Amino acid sequence: MASSAQNLKTSSVGSPHAAFIEDILAAKGLLTREQLIFVKTEAKNRQESSEKVLTQMGWVNGEALVQAKAEVIGVPYINLAQKPISPEVLAYLPQEVAKRFVAIPISKEADMLSVAMVDPLDLSVLEFIEKKSGLAVRPYIATADAINRAIAEQYTQSLSSEVGEALKEAAPGIGMIGYTPVTAITGVLGEAPVARIVSTLLEYGIKIRASDIHIEPLENETRIRYRIDGILHEKLILPRRIHDAIVSRIKILGNMKIDEKRLPQDARFNFKVGSEEIDLRLSTMPTGFGEKVVMRLLKKSGGVPTLPELGLRGIALRHLEENIARPHGIILVTGPTGSGKTTTLYSVLSKLNSTKVNIMTLEDPIEYQMAGVNQVQVNVQAGLTFASGLRAFLRQDPNIIMVGEVRDQETSDLAIQASLTGHLVFSTLHTNNASGALPRLLDMHAEPYLIASTVTCVVGQRVVRKICPTCRIPRPASAEISKKIEDVLGKLKTPETGKPYQLYVGHGCKECTNTGYLGRIGIFEVLVVSEKIGRMILAHETSQAIEEQAVTEGMITMKEDGFLKITEGITTVEEVLRVAEE
């Protein structure tokens, strides 16, 4: 079985025509001619490998060095970053062995096991892995850091190992899935291994603070992805043959129709891990390779964050607090889907919530239960829409009304009427920035004079990932980034004379699952509808003109707020540009 090791023994690595690592690096422009001569001379004088000299000098990073080495020895290089590995493949090499040899199995085809190694020329390690796995080994080369990180991630928190164990138990019955009725699958498999796989996926999602879990059928496998801090991360690959059983198990939990695979379905159920209860929203969708399932995880406990905890501060916070203290008017929160608009509204309602006011909300769906607040779920099939619900609300003697979204002319007209009759109304709009909300209401045929007299304040927002505090390291800003910061912030902030901005990045650690980010924070702009802006609405001015006037009156834009948070070490330039660059 030591065929792979024998193949490497007879490879062309030692041939007189083989290139040298330093030559390849120089050809790629990573070494100057002077550095190339120095490396060759030092290696000869010290009687050491040029690889060791290059590592000591630190002229090229580890990844470039390993890529050059891969070319020299004729072993393919592999980038392990964010590469999920099937638990079945990981089972061929125990975690302790992987750590000891700095090697990790990455895939299996027939009787060949592909393994990423730090030293693919170590024949004793190759032979050991072949004996341990009972398979021929195809070696790949990767950096030690990447392999160790992959071992920590892939074997981490027992996700792969627990699912792997359940797969082993399920394997005897799964081979016949194609010929077994769906009810039989869920009856035989659902009670033990498949149920445990689903529970493990959910528990892991809660543990890593995921907001959504995607179970996606591909042509030859099933992919499991988790959305953490707004970004999807591929964490697990499962055999394609178990996909239908997992979907059936989830459908049972949500009381869905198991035999209906042609139409999308929605459901919800509660899941408890220890003392923590999670509300799960399920959605299935037929795709080309089978049914895709998305599960949204909503914590029932944890409370609503305060406005400063969301990221509001300074003049923006002061303007918002002044306007929510008014007895009537309309306050809008704008931004794309997933920008945290509803969370901001919950924070505002939590601040206003008391026994002296009647707060009513109309939501689709109700995301968080708030004690003391009358929350109503939209039900279009029963005839309860945003418009009909808002009309009924006015007969319920409310002080404060929250409407999930202004979607049409009828809803906008009713919101304006509610404000004119002495109510404080909160809602959301899908616009790119705060100033865009006002022309958008005009597009819905709302009267300009009514908008100018009822809308008091518009909040524009996005969410960015926060740098992980555990692995945060300083990184001085480059000249290009420093100029960009100065261009955006202008007179708001300037560095000490001659000193570059001190920025920070997350290096990646266990706490943040090697992403460098942990948690999220909002970047905001709060536009107060002043007398001058009111006149601009009457004149049907553009959103750009309205924004320029608001900035003249002291508004800090979302991008400026984001760049202030960059200079304070809260987030990174890449994050702010990802969400706020127009």
Side-chain angles (χ1 to χ4, degrees), residues 128-386:
F128 180 88
I129 294 172
E130 287 180 336
K131 284 177 185 173
K132 185 78 179 171
S133 64
L135 299 166
V137 171
R138 179 189 290 130
Y140 286 78
I141 190 168
T143 65
D145 283 349
I147 294 172
N148 287 324
R149 191 179 292 124
I151 290 169
E153 279 181 10
Q154 303 294 348
Y155 290 97
T156 188
Q157 299 175 48
S158 70
L159 175 67
S160 295
S161 55
E162 283 183 32
V163 172
E165 288 300 315
L167 282 172
K168 281 181 188 175
E169 288 181 40
I174 291 173
M176 296 298 286
I177 270 187
Y179 309 96
T180 311
V182 171
T183 49
I185 293 173
T186 53
V188 175
L189 296 174
E191 294 307 315
V194 173
R196 212 159 69 245
I197 289 171
V198 173
S199 293
T200 303
L201 294 177
L202 288 171
E203 286 169 16
Y204 182 73
I206 293 162
K207 193 180 283 186
I208 62 172
R209 306 172 297 101
S211 61
D212 301 85
I213 304 172
H214 292 235
I215 300 170
E216 301 169 299
L218 305 178
E219 190 172 3
N220 301 311
E221 60 200 16
T222 291
R223 178 171 69 177
I224 312 293
R225 294 195 289 174
Y226 291 86
R227 190 177 292 280
I228 308 164
D229 294 333
I231 305 293
L232 278 170
H233 297 271
E234 201 171 321
K235 290 288 183 183
L236 194 64
I237 295 293
L238 293 176
R240 180 67 181 83
R241 63 182 186 274
I242 197 152
H243 181 82
D244 290 345
I246 288 174
V247 173
S248 297
R249 172 62 185 170
I250 292 168
K251 283 184 172 181
I252 286 172
L253 292 171
N255 287 321
M256 292 176 167
K257 294 177 182 176
I258 299 172
D259 56 344
E260 180 54 82
K261 299 185 178 185
R262 299 165 301 168
L263 295 172
Q265 295 186 64
D266 294 306
R268 63 189 294 175
F269 71 92
N270 291 341
F271 183 78
K272 203 165 186 180
V273 178
S275 60
E276 194 165 28
E277 195 171 355
I278 305 293
D279 186 21
L280 275 103
R281 307 279 163 78
L282 304 180
S283 172
T284 66
M285 178 68 66
T287 70
F289 296 115
E291 283 184 283
K292 174 180 174 175
V293 179
V294 174
M295 297 187 279
R296 168 152 286 190
L297 282 64
L298 297 168
K299 287 186 181 180
K300 286 198 166 186
S301 57
V304 177
T306 64
L307 293 173
E309 284 171 349
L310 290 178
L312 273 158
R313 71 262 180 93
I315 193 170
L317 178 61
R318 191 173 79 246
H319 282 161
L320 182 58
E321 286 180 336
E322 284 170 359
N323 282 282
I324 65 177
R326 292 184 177 191
H328 55 82
I330 298 174
I331 294 174
L332 297 170
V333 181
T334 70
T337 303
S339 60
K341 299 187 296 295
T342 307
T343 305
T344 300
L345 286 179
Y346 278 130
S347 297
V348 171
L349 293 182
S350 178
K351 186 177 176 66
L352 297 173
N353 191 12
S354 76
T355 55
K356 296 179 181 179
V357 291
N358 177 21
I359 301 176
M360 302 198 69
T361 75
L362 189 59
E363 304 172 56
D364 184 21
I366 296 170
E367 290 191 23
Y368 300 99
Q369 303 284 349
M370 291 185 73
V373 175
N374 305 288
Q375 294 174 274
V376 178
Q377 167 85 47
V378 166
N379 188 338
V380 177
Q381 286 158 338
L384 178 56
T385 62
F386 281 124

Side-chain angles (χ1 to χ4, degrees), residues 311-320 432-435 457-462 485 488-493 522-528 533 546-568 576 580 582:
L312 273 158
R313 71 262 180 93
I315 193 170
L317 178 61
R318 191 173 79 246
H319 282 161
L320 182 58
N432 287 332
N433 51 26
S435 58
C457 172
V458 185
V459 179
Q461 69 177 77
R462 299 285 190 279
I485 292 171
V488 172
L489 296 183
K491 295 177 182 177
L492 287 176
K493 194 178 183 80
I523 56 173
F524 297 89
E525 61 186 24
V526 177
L527 186 152
V528 177
I533 290 175
I546 291 170
E547 181 175 302
E548 285 170 3
Q549 178 58 32
V551 169
T552 304
E553 293 175 7
M555 182 182 84
I556 293 174
T557 65
M558 266 187 290
K559 196 169 182 181
E560 287 171 345
D561 188 33
F563 272 73
L564 285 170
K565 287 181 168 93
I566 290 166
T567 60
E568 291 162 22
V576 173
E582 294 180 3

Side-chain angles (χ1 to χ4, degrees), residues 458-477:
V458 185
V459 179
Q461 69 177 77
R462 299 285 190 279
V463 283
V464 293
R465 292 181 292 172
K466 291 196 292 184
I467 299 167
C468 174
T470 308
C471 60
R472 192 179 84 150
I473 55 171
R475 185 183 70 181

Side-chain angles (χ1 to χ4, degrees), residues 77-86 89-90 104-109 114-116 140 142 146 149-151 153-155 160 221 224 233-237:
Y77 166 80
I78 186 162
N79 184 0
L80 294 171
Q82 299 292 322
K83 178 179 173 59
I85 301 165
S86 164
V89 173
L90 289 174
I104 185 169
I106 49 177
S107 64
K108 175 187 172 288
E109 294 173 21
S114 296
V115 180
Y140 286 78
R149 191 179 292 124
I151 290 169
E153 279 181 10
Q154 303 294 348
Y155 290 97
S160 295
E221 60 200 16
I224 312 293
H233 297 271
E234 201 171 321
K235 290 288 183 183
L236 194 64
I237 295 293

